[in-house]
Amino acid sequence: MQENTKDMTTAPEQDLNEILKVRREKLKELQDNGMDPFAVTKYDKQHNSAQIIENYDEFEGKDVSVAGRLMSKRVMGKASFCHIQDREGKIQSYVARDVIGEDEYKLFKKLDIGDIVGIKGDVFKTKTGETSIHAKEITLLSKSLQPLPEKFHGLKDMDLRYRQRYVDLIVNPDVKKTFMLRSKIISAIREFLDNRGYIEVDTPILNSIPGGAAARPFITHHNTLDIDMYLRIATELYLKRLIVGGFEKVYEMGRIFRNEGMSIKHNPEFTTIELYEAYTDYHGMMDITEQMVTYVCEKVLGTTKITYQGEEIDLTPSWERITMIDAIKKYTGVDFNDIQTDEDALAAVKGMGIEVEGTLTRGELINLAFEERVEENLVQPTFIMDYPVEVSPLAKRKVDDPRLTERFEVFVTRRELGNAFSELNDPIDQKERFLKQVEAREAGDEEANMMDDDFINALEYAMPPTGGLGIGIDRLVMLLTDSYSIRDVLLFPTMKPLDK
């Protein structure tokens, strides 16, 4: 049976059922004849498509051995053409009955699009100039029992693409390119930090106390200990314990879990890197943020000037550095340096047309005004500095204004990319801030920190002045691959079950 070439995502159910039936019949016929493709255990694959195409002069006339997925097939009597796709791309093969033999040619004609095959033969160019392999031997390595969709893009198919990423990767080369770039970005980050004396470490994912961020955790249960445990919401508190222990430069890259909403910017599990360096502060972290992003851009993309969703972004240092209060003044005209009380701050925020729920302090209102009226303007990379202490329970206070902290967040394309502090190393101050977080939690704030007595104990052994930085890897990959949604840079994003 000749398969229908229409989009299989919209093929009538009876057509699809017939195709599935035919493919299984072909498999049974092969197995009955002692040629079970699933019994093949290995194949001597020595070359790839890009290697041969890019180095044609070296390979011309020589035998090669490639393997990959059959993506197209044109049968023309005694000779045929096909394309196979491997990790590096596609390459054409010319298959002649007189070369591979009549029986082998009959088997070739029965191959389906999607089958995994191995091809051995010599390299030549067709009359149209396409680098090809003149097949001498074709081996079926695995049988595809599902037809590949011919069209697998467009908004109507986005949900299916995320759910069946394996198919998405097969038929959409740009998707595979995104994830290859993701791997290179992560490698470049590690290379940058390793070359500067940072040590990569692993800390627990299961925690008895969720800490290091304001977030609602996932809760699980340890049967042997009979205690509830939490999937980590940050790596911060363990990494700072290591600074206490004498590791002066540490980092960890790994999965974080937060039981929160999902959007184009949020997935319940995501990847971050947190790094900590003793004897520096948040200004030092600004420098390393610029240097690291620049290094990664040049290493992976060859430039620091990129386009994101149609907007030109220049990541070349030096990035703008501005305090939160000055940024609010710049974009709204309101100067919170002239506003000292909670009441006046509330009036100023309401004057901006911002709705306020609950009773908020001056510091919380400053942060609210920033989120509602400033973030939307931050397209080019910008460091927003000196956050209120109420929203920065782990950052060191500013000496000249203890209501503020030595903290920054870096924004690009209106999104937060990273967060950093001059780390709080005063155990007495830290305990008082934890106690306020506990009060907020008892009042119903599920994102507030719990008391971490062991972390306080660690700080009492003295932690040196330290700068700390956290960067969202997924958001960095989104930026550097021009990806609109976080789901586009996660191989297997969290999805609602279809039966829900």
Side-chain angles (χ1 to χ4, degrees):
M1 172 184 174
Q2 181 67 37
E3 287 187 0
N4 194 329
T5 58
K6 72 177 76 173
D7 183 349
M8 295 306 172
T9 63
T10 58
E13 185 175 347
Q14 63 270 25
D15 291 353
L16 181 58
N17 288 339
E18 182 63 24
I19 290 169
L20 297 176
K21 178 183 176 183
V22 169
R23 290 199 174 204
R24 280 157 177 76
E25 289 173 349
K26 289 182 179 180
L27 173 63
K28 187 175 186 305
E29 182 182 351
L30 287 167
Q31 292 171 331
D32 290 344
N33 291 318
M35 295 181 288
D36 186 355
F38 299 132
V40 178
T41 57
K42 62 182 295 187
Y43 185 77
D44 186 21
K45 177 182 182 292
Q46 298 182 353
H47 308 92
N48 65 62
S49 57
Q51 179 186 18
I52 297 168
I53 293 170
E54 293 170 6
N55 301 281
Y56 174 77
D57 291 343
E58 177 184 339
F59 284 102
E60 182 182 13
K62 295 182 180 178
D63 284 347
V64 294
S65 172
V66 299
R69 190 177 298 275
L70 187 66
M71 298 301 290
S72 71
K73 187 178 68 169
R74 288 182 290 128
V75 177
M76 301 179 297
K78 298 179 181 180
S80 301
F81 285 95
C82 67
H83 282 87
I84 69 164
Q85 176 175 283
D86 58 19
R87 192 184 78 168
E88 305 301 329
K90 291 181 183 179
I91 191 165
Q92 179 172 263
S93 178
Y94 174 70
V95 185
R97 185 183 66 182
D98 293 343
V99 175
I100 68 172
E102 188 167 344
D103 290 341
E104 294 299 318
Y105 192 65
K106 287 180 180 179
L107 289 174
F108 167 77
K109 290 197 295 183
K110 290 185 178 181
L111 293 178
D112 291 311
I113 302 303
D115 288 351
I116 306 294
V117 299
I119 296 179
K120 294 180 180 179
D122 57 281
V123 178
F124 75 107
K125 280 191 177 180
T126 64
K127 293 179 180 179
T128 61
E130 182 172 355
T131 299
S132 305
I133 300 171
H134 195 164
K136 297 178 180 177
E137 178 184 312
I138 297 180
T139 305
L140 177 60
L141 304 175
S142 186
K143 184 67 183 169
S144 175
L145 300 180
Q146 291 275 1
L148 291 179
E150 193 164 294
K151 299 176 183 178
F152 207 69
H153 49 77
L155 290 176
K156 66 179 181 179
D157 295 320
M158 291 304 293
D159 186 76
L160 183 61
R161 288 175 59 185
Y162 296 142
R163 292 182 188 279
Q164 297 185 9
R165 181 68 83 188
Y166 40 90
V167 183
D168 194 18
L169 291 168
I170 293 170
V171 299
N172 285 329
D174 286 345
V175 173
K176 183 182 290 184
K177 180 181 178 182
T178 293
F179 289 104
M180 297 292 281
L181 283 173
R182 180 187 175 105
S183 179
K184 291 178 180 179
I185 289 167
I186 289 173
S187 295
I189 291 172
R190 284 195 165 103
E191 184 177 88
F192 174 86
L193 292 172
D194 292 346
N195 289 342
R196 284 157 180 76
Y198 281 81
I199 303 298
E200 184 173 10
V201 297
D202 294 305
T203 62
I205 291 176
L206 283 176
N207 295 170
S208 58
I209 296 172
R216 185 178 178 182
F218 285 95
I219 304 174
T220 186
H221 189 79
H222 192 298
N223 291 332
T224 300
L225 297 178
D226 193 24
I227 59 171
D228 284 342
M229 301 194 76
Y230 306 87
L231 296 182
R232 67 184 181 191
I233 58 174
T235 55
E236 178 167 342
L237 300 186
Y238 279 109
L239 293 176
K240 289 199 284 194
R241 285 174 169 91
L242 297 179
I243 295 292
V244 171
F247 283 84
E248 295 182 359
K249 291 183 176 182
V250 294
Y251 75 93
E252 181 170 10
M253 194 182 312
R255 274 290 208 255
I256 301 297
F257 307 86
R258 296 183 183 177
N259 198 352
E260 56 189 18
M262 299 195 300
S263 72
I264 61 169
K265 298 186 291 184
H266 299 92
N267 193 68
E269 57 175 312
F270 54 97
T271 303
T272 68
I273 182 169
E274 288 195 39
L275 59 94
Y276 293 84
E277 180 175 343
Y279 310 113
T280 189
D281 62 2
Y282 73 142
H283 291 289
M285 291 296 104
M286 289 185 218
D287 294 339
I288 203 166
T289 300
E290 282 185 344
Q291 293 166 8
M292 182 164 64
V293 173
T294 299
Y295 180 88
V296 171
C297 282
E298 292 179 338
K299 180 87 175 181
V300 176
L301 303 178
T303 180
T304 55
K305 295 181 180 180
I306 64 173
T307 300
Y308 184 78
Q309 301 298 298
E311 292 183 303
E312 299 293 329
I313 306 297
D314 189 353
L315 297 170
T316 308
S318 295
W319 301 350
E320 181 180 8
R321 303 183 181 192
I322 185 171
T323 68
M324 178 178 282
I325 288 177
D326 285 345
I328 295 171
K329 181 180 178 181
K330 177 179 178 179
Y331 291 105
T332 71
V334 176
D335 188 353
F336 277 94
N337 285 319
D338 298 332
I339 299 172
Q340 304 304 320
T341 67
D342 296 346
E343 294 76 16
D344 290 343
L346 178 61
V349 170
K350 287 186 174 180
M352 299 178 194
I354 300 172
E355 292 186 10
V356 179
E357 297 180 1
T359 302
L360 302 183
T361 65
R362 171 181 176 272
E364 291 168 330
L365 289 162
I366 290 172
N367 187 64
L368 179 62
F370 168 76
E371 291 178 342
E372 294 294 326
R373 294 293 181 264
V374 178
E375 281 190 23
E376 63 188 8
N377 299 290
L378 304 178
V379 178
Q380 299 302 322
T382 305
F383 292 108
I384 300 294
M385 309 183 301
D386 302 351
Y387 279 55
V389 69
E390 291 94 330
V391 295
S392 311
L394 297 166
K396 184 172 287 191
R397 295 177 190 264
K398 290 184 67 67
V399 174
D400 56 351
D401 187 349
R403 297 174 299 178
L404 303 176
T405 62
E406 293 193 353
R407 173 189 176 188
F408 75 76
E409 288 184 311
V410 58
F411 290 83
V412 189
T413 66
R414 307 173 186 86
R415 294 172 179 171
E416 176 206 341
L417 181 65
N419 185 25
F421 313 145
S422 295
E423 300 296 335
L424 178 60
N425 60 347
D426 179 345
I428 298 171
D429 188 359
Q430 182 65 83
K431 185 171 184 177
E432 290 174 352
R433 296 198 211 178
F434 273 155
L435 288 171
K436 289 183 179 179
Q437 291 283 303
V438 170
E439 290 177 5
R441 192 174 188 85
E442 291 174 348
D445 184 355
E446 295 181 335
E447 295 187 351
N449 285 210
M450 295 181 181
M451 174 61 70
D452 191 333
D453 291 314
D454 182 73
F455 180 65
I456 298 298
N457 188 61
L459 291 184
E460 289 179 348
Y461 280 91
M463 184 175 84
T466 298
L469 167 67
I471 289 180
I473 296 297
D474 306 311
R475 291 191 182 181
L476 179 60
V477 175
M478 287 170 66
L479 177 67
L480 300 188
T481 60
D482 193 15
S483 298
Y484 175 71
S485 170
I486 192 171
R487 291 184 175 187
D488 295 327
V489 299
L490 296 174
L491 280 168
F492 301 102
T494 302
M495 303 291 291
K496 180 187 291 186
L498 289 173
D499 60 1
K500 298 295 183 182

